[in-house]
Coordinates of all heavy atoms in Angstrom, one line a residue:
L306 N 46.3 -29.8 22.3 CA 45.3 -29.4 21.3 C 44.1 -28.9 22.0 O 43.7 -29.4 23.0 CB 45.0 -30.5 20.4 CG 46.1 -31.0 19.4 CD1 45.6 -32.1 18.6 CD2 46.6 -29.8 18.6
A307 N 43.5 -27.8 21.5 CA 42.3 -27.3 22.0 C 41.1 -28.2 21.7 O 41.0 -28.7 20.6 CB 41.9 -25.9 21.4
R308 N 40.3 -28.5 22.7 CA 39.2 -29.4 22.5 C 38.0 -28.7 21.9 O 37.8 -27.5 22.2 CB 38.7 -30.0 23.8 CG 39.9 -30.7 24.6 CD 40.1 -32.1 24.0 NE 41.3 -32.7 24.5 CZ 41.4 -34.0 24.6 NH1 40.5 -34.8 24.3 NH2 42.5 -34.6 25.1
P309 N 37.2 -29.3 21.0 CA 36.1 -28.6 20.4 C 35.0 -28.5 21.3 O 34.9 -29.2 22.3 CB 35.7 -29.6 19.2 CG 36.2 -30.9 19.7 CD 37.4 -30.7 20.5
V310 N 34.1 -27.6 21.1 CA 32.9 -27.4 21.9 C 31.9 -28.4 21.5 O 31.5 -28.5 20.4 CB 32.3 -26.0 21.7 CG1 31.1 -25.8 22.5 CG2 33.4 -24.9 22.1
L341 N 38.7 -35.5 20.5 CA 38.7 -34.3 19.6 C 37.5 -34.1 18.9 O 37.2 -32.9 18.4 CB 40.0 -34.3 18.8 CG 41.3 -34.2 19.5 CD1 42.5 -34.6 18.5 CD2 41.5 -32.8 20.0
S343 N 33.3 -34.0 18.3 CA 32.1 -33.7 19.0 C 31.2 -35.0 19.0 O 30.9 -35.5 17.9 CB 31.4 -32.5 18.5 OG 32.2 -31.3 18.7
L361 N 31.0 -35.3 14.9 CA 31.3 -34.3 14.0 C 32.7 -33.8 14.3 O 33.1 -33.7 15.5 CB 30.3 -33.1 14.1 CG 30.4 -32.0 13.2 CD1 29.1 -31.4 12.9 CD2 31.3 -30.9 13.7
I362 N 33.5 -33.4 13.3 CA 34.8 -32.8 13.5 C 35.1 -31.9 12.3 O 34.7 -32.2 11.2 CB 35.9 -33.9 13.7 CG1 37.2 -33.2 14.1 CG2 36.1 -34.7 12.4 CD1 38.3 -34.2 14.5
Y363 N 35.9 -30.8 12.6 CA 36.1 -29.8 11.6 C 37.5 -29.2 11.8 O 37.8 -28.9 13.0 CB 35.1 -28.7 11.6 CG 35.4 -27.5 10.7 CD1 35.4 -27.6 9.3 CD2 35.7 -26.2 11.3 CE1 35.6 -26.5 8.5 CE2 35.9 -25.2 10.5 CZ 35.9 -25.3 9.1 OH 36.2 -24.2 8.3
D364 N 38.4 -29.2 10.8 CA 39.7 -28.6 11.0 C 40.1 -27.5 10.1 O 41.2 -27.1 9.9 CB 40.8 -29.7 10.8 CG 41.0 -30.2 9.4 OD1 40.2 -29.8 8.5 OD2 42.0 -30.9 9.1
G365 N 39.1 -26.9 9.4 CA 39.3 -25.8 8.4 C 39.4 -26.3 7.0 O 38.8 -25.6 6.1
N366 N 40.0 -27.4 6.8 CA 40.1 -28.0 5.4 C 39.0 -29.0 5.2 O 38.5 -29.2 4.0 CB 41.4 -28.6 5.2 CG 42.5 -27.7 5.1 OD1 42.4 -26.6 4.5 ND2 43.7 -28.0 5.8
E367 N 38.5 -29.7 6.2 CA 37.6 -30.8 6.1 C 36.6 -30.8 7.3 O 37.0 -30.6 8.4 CB 38.4 -32.1 5.9 CG 37.5 -33.3 5.6 CD 38.3 -34.5 5.2 OE1 39.1 -35.0 6.1 OE2 38.2 -35.0 4.1
L368 N 35.4 -31.1 6.9 CA 34.3 -31.3 8.0 C 33.8 -32.7 7.7 O 33.4 -33.0 6.6 CB 33.3 -30.3 7.9 CG 32.2 -30.3 9.0 CD1 31.7 -28.8 9.2 CD2 31.0 -31.2 8.6
Y402 N 31.8 -26.5 -0.3 CA 32.8 -27.5 -0.2 C 32.4 -28.7 -1.0 O 31.2 -28.9 -1.3 CB 33.0 -28.0 1.3 CG 33.8 -27.0 2.2 CD1 33.8 -25.6 2.0 CD2 34.6 -27.5 3.2 CE1 34.5 -24.8 2.8 CE2 35.4 -26.7 4.0 CZ 35.3 -25.3 3.8 OH 36.0 -24.5 4.6
K422 N 37.4 -28.7 1.4 CA 37.5 -27.4 0.8 C 37.9 -27.6 -0.7 O 38.8 -28.3 -1.0 CB 38.6 -26.6 1.5 CG 38.8 -25.2 0.9 CD 39.9 -24.4 1.7 CE 39.5 -24.2 3.1 NZ 40.5 -23.3 3.9
I429 N 35.2 -19.4 5.9 CA 34.5 -20.0 7.0 C 35.1 -19.7 8.3 O 36.3 -19.9 8.5 CB 34.4 -21.5 6.8 CG1 33.8 -21.9 5.5 CG2 33.6 -22.2 7.9 CD1 32.3 -21.6 5.3
P430 N 34.4 -19.1 9.3 CA 35.1 -18.7 10.5 C 35.5 -19.9 11.4 O 35.1 -21.1 11.1 CB 34.0 -17.9 11.3 CG 32.6 -18.4 10.7 CD 33.0 -18.7 9.2
D431 N 36.4 -19.8 12.3 CA 36.8 -20.9 13.1 C 35.7 -21.4 14.0 O 35.8 -22.6 14.4 CB 38.0 -20.4 14.0 CG 39.3 -20.2 13.2 OD1 39.3 -20.5 12.0 OD2 40.2 -19.5 13.8
S432 N 34.7 -20.6 14.3 CA 33.6 -21.1 15.1 C 32.3 -20.6 14.4 O 32.3 -19.4 14.0 CB 33.6 -20.5 16.5 OG 34.7 -21.0 17.3
F433 N 31.4 -21.5 14.2 CA 30.1 -21.1 13.5 C 29.0 -22.1 13.9 O 29.3 -23.1 14.6 CB 30.3 -21.1 12.0 CG 30.8 -22.5 11.5 CD1 29.8 -23.4 11.0 CD2 32.1 -22.8 11.4 CE1 30.2 -24.7 10.5 CE2 32.5 -24.1 10.9 CZ 31.6 -25.0 10.5
P453 N 26.7 -26.0 17.2 CA 27.9 -25.1 17.2 C 29.1 -25.9 16.8 O 29.3 -27.1 17.3 CB 27.9 -24.6 18.6 CG 27.3 -25.6 19.4 CD 26.2 -26.2 18.6
V454 N 30.0 -25.3 16.0 CA 31.2 -26.0 15.6 C 32.4 -25.2 15.8 O 32.4 -23.9 15.6 CB 31.1 -26.4 14.0 CG1 32.5 -27.0 13.5 CG2 30.0 -27.3 13.7
T455 N 33.4 -25.8 16.3 CA 34.7 -25.1 16.6 C 35.9 -25.8 15.9 O 36.0 -27.0 16.1 CB 35.0 -24.9 18.1 OG1 34.0 -24.1 18.7 CG2 36.4 -24.2 18.3
K456 N 36.6 -25.1 15.1 CA 37.8 -25.8 14.4 C 38.8 -26.3 15.4 O 39.2 -25.6 16.4 CB 38.4 -24.8 13.5 CG 39.5 -25.4 12.6 CD 40.1 -24.3 11.7 CE 41.1 -23.3 12.3 NZ 41.7 -22.5 11.4
I457 N 39.2 -27.5 15.2 CA 40.3 -28.1 16.1 C 41.6 -27.4 15.8 O 41.9 -27.0 14.7 CB 40.4 -29.6 16.0 CG1 40.7 -30.0 14.5 CG2 39.1 -30.3 16.4 CD1 41.0 -31.5 14.4
A458 N 42.5 -27.4 16.8 CA 43.8 -26.8 16.6 C 44.7 -27.6 15.8 O 44.5 -28.9 15.7 CB 44.4 -26.5 18.0
G459 N 45.6 -27.0 15.1 CA 46.6 -27.7 14.3 C 47.7 -28.4 15.1 O 48.0 -27.9 16.2
S462 N 52.2 -25.9 11.8 CA 51.9 -25.0 10.7 C 53.2 -24.3 10.4 O 53.8 -23.6 11.2 CB 50.9 -24.0 11.1 OG 50.6 -23.0 10.0
K482 N 50.7 -27.5 6.6 CA 49.9 -27.5 7.8 C 49.4 -28.9 8.0 O 49.0 -29.7 7.1 CB 48.7 -26.6 7.6 CG 49.0 -25.1 7.4 CD 47.8 -24.3 7.1 CE 48.2 -22.8 6.9 NZ 47.0 -22.0 6.7
T484 N 46.9 -31.2 10.9 CA 45.9 -31.3 12.0 C 45.7 -32.8 12.2 O 46.2 -33.7 11.4 CB 44.6 -30.7 11.6 OG1 43.8 -31.5 10.8 CG2 44.8 -29.3 10.9
P485 N 45.0 -33.2 13.3 CA 44.7 -34.6 13.5 C 43.8 -35.1 12.4 O 43.7 -36.4 12.3 CB 44.0 -34.5 14.9 CG 44.5 -33.3 15.5 CD 44.7 -32.3 14.4
L486 N 43.2 -34.3 11.6 CA 42.3 -34.8 10.5 C 42.9 -34.8 9.1 O 42.7 -35.8 8.4 CB 41.1 -33.9 10.5 CG 39.9 -34.4 9.7 CD1 39.4 -35.8 10.1 CD2 38.8 -33.4 9.7
T487 N 43.7 -33.8 8.7 CA 44.2 -33.7 7.4 C 45.6 -33.1 7.4 O 46.1 -32.6 8.4 CB 43.4 -32.8 6.5 OG1 43.3 -31.4 7.0 CG2 41.9 -33.3 6.4

Side-chain angles (χ1 to χ4, degrees):
L306 294 176
R308 302 282 171 152
V310 176
L341 289 171
S343 294
L361 187 146
I362 190 169
Y363 173 68
D364 73 346
N366 291 317
E367 189 171 60
L368 186 151
Y402 279 35
K422 186 180 292 184
I429 302 293
D431 291 348
S432 296
F433 60 90
V454 175
T455 297
K456 183 176 76 172
I457 60 173
S462 180
K482 297 179 181 179
T484 79
L486 188 61
T487 61

